[in-house]
Amino acid sequence: HSALTQPASVSGSPGQSITISCTGTSSDVGRYNYVSWFQQHPGKVPKLLIYDVTNRPSGVSNRFSGSKSGNTASLTISGLQAEDEADYYCSSYTSISTRVFGGGTKLTVL
Amino acid sequence: QVQLQESGPGLVKPSGTLSLTCTVSGGSVSSDNWWTWVRQPPGKGLEWIGEIHHGGSTNYSPSLKSRVTISVDKSKNQFSLNLNSVTAADTAVYYCAPSGMDFWGQGTLVTVSS
């Protein structure tokens, strides 16, 4: 299972919405509803934003939402804020009972 | 509130074995959960290494499977990572977390260098 494919970078202005894609295969993203999204600020520990494609842990802003279509999962951030500037990673369960991460996406808030 | 703490040598020689331990506090490693190791080379992305259930079952990344062993010590409420035949490419921050990765240890930097 190769790493999931994410865009290297995305950007947006405060208040806008952005979407980060995460493309896998029919053996991971496409097969299971076990996609998670993480936010990581520089020098910090990753933080879980979304699990099981669409669910937000307690305490995570409802500006973050997840979805999936076929082999591609997506993270949407609405009402972009300066504090959202960070790296974002997706992860999926796989058909060989492992997990795989995406390469990461750097979000710049203009 | 369950907390995790990684510990182990910060420097390992090439061809040697990297050994780390994750101590679970505020909870039990024997809870019905899988426990995971993840690493992140400096300036790069996250890489899933493997996981263990308290019963001893394991799953490993195919790319690391030949060199990795994850074990659990219920008496010490810990789980451990061993990675052998290390090279500079194994230099990374190593994190432990439950399989759902809803919380993480602080991470520990391991450098492979002579």
Side-chain angles (χ1 to χ4, degrees):
Chain A
H1 287 258
S2 301
L4 307 176
T5 300
Q6 298 181 232
S9 63
V10 299
S11 63
S13 298
Q16 287 185 332
S17 292
I18 64 95
T19 297
I20 299 172
S21 61
C22 170
T23 301
T25 70
S26 58
S27 297
D28 39 63
V29 175
R31 177 174 292 192
Y32 304 102
N33 288 325
Y34 294 138
V35 175
S36 299
W37 288 93
F38 301 88
Q39 177 192 60
Q40 186 180 33
H41 288 104
K44 301 298 186 181
V45 176
K47 174 186 176 183
L48 179 66
L49 293 178
I50 299 287
Y51 66 96
D52 296 350
V53 179
T54 61
N55 296 307
R56 277 188 312 275
S58 175
V60 172
S61 171
N62 60 9
R63 297 187 299 106
F64 297 93
S65 62
S67 62
K68 191 184 85 167
S69 177
N71 296 339
T72 298
S74 298
L75 172 71
T76 298
I77 309 175
S78 59
L80 209 56
Q81 300 178 359
E83 67 202 49
D84 298 331
E85 186 161 294
D87 294 325
Y88 291 83
Y89 296 91
C90 61
S91 172
S92 175
Y93 186 73
T94 79
S95 60
I96 55 171
S97 302
T98 64
R99 294 182 188 270
V100 61
F101 282 101
T105 298
K106 181 177 180 60
L107 169 62
T108 300
V109 179
L110 302 170
Chain B
Q1 180 179 350
V2 182
Q3 294 185 319
L4 304 176
Q5 180 66 60
E6 305 88 349
S7 59
L11 181 64
V12 180
K13 294 187 185 305
S15 78
T17 297
L18 180 158
S19 296
L20 296 174
T21 295
C22 182
T23 300
V24 181
S25 59
S28 172
V29 75
S30 297
S31 62
D32 189 15
N33 207 342
W34 289 75
W35 302 96
T36 294
W37 287 97
V38 174
R39 71 179 183 179
Q40 185 171 35
K44 296 187 178 181
L46 301 171
E47 180 181 15
W48 188 86
I49 299 172
E51 63 182 2
I52 188 166
H53 188 265
H54 65 82
S57 298
T58 54
N59 293 304
Y60 298 130
S61 167
S63 64
L64 296 170
K65 188 172 186 176
S66 64
R67 299 193 292 129
V68 171
T69 302
I70 298 176
S71 58
V72 64
D73 188 334
K74 298 177 196 178
S75 67
K76 295 182 178 179
N77 217 26
Q78 296 174 334
F79 61 103
S80 298
L81 169 70
N82 274 8
L83 180 66
N84 59 37
S85 303
V86 298
T87 69
D90 295 309
T91 294
V93 175
Y94 286 77
Y95 296 99
C96 59
S99 62
M101 294 181 276
D102 49 338
F103 61 95
W104 299 54
Q106 285 301 299
T108 187
L109 174 63
V110 180
T111 301
V112 179
S113 175
S114 55

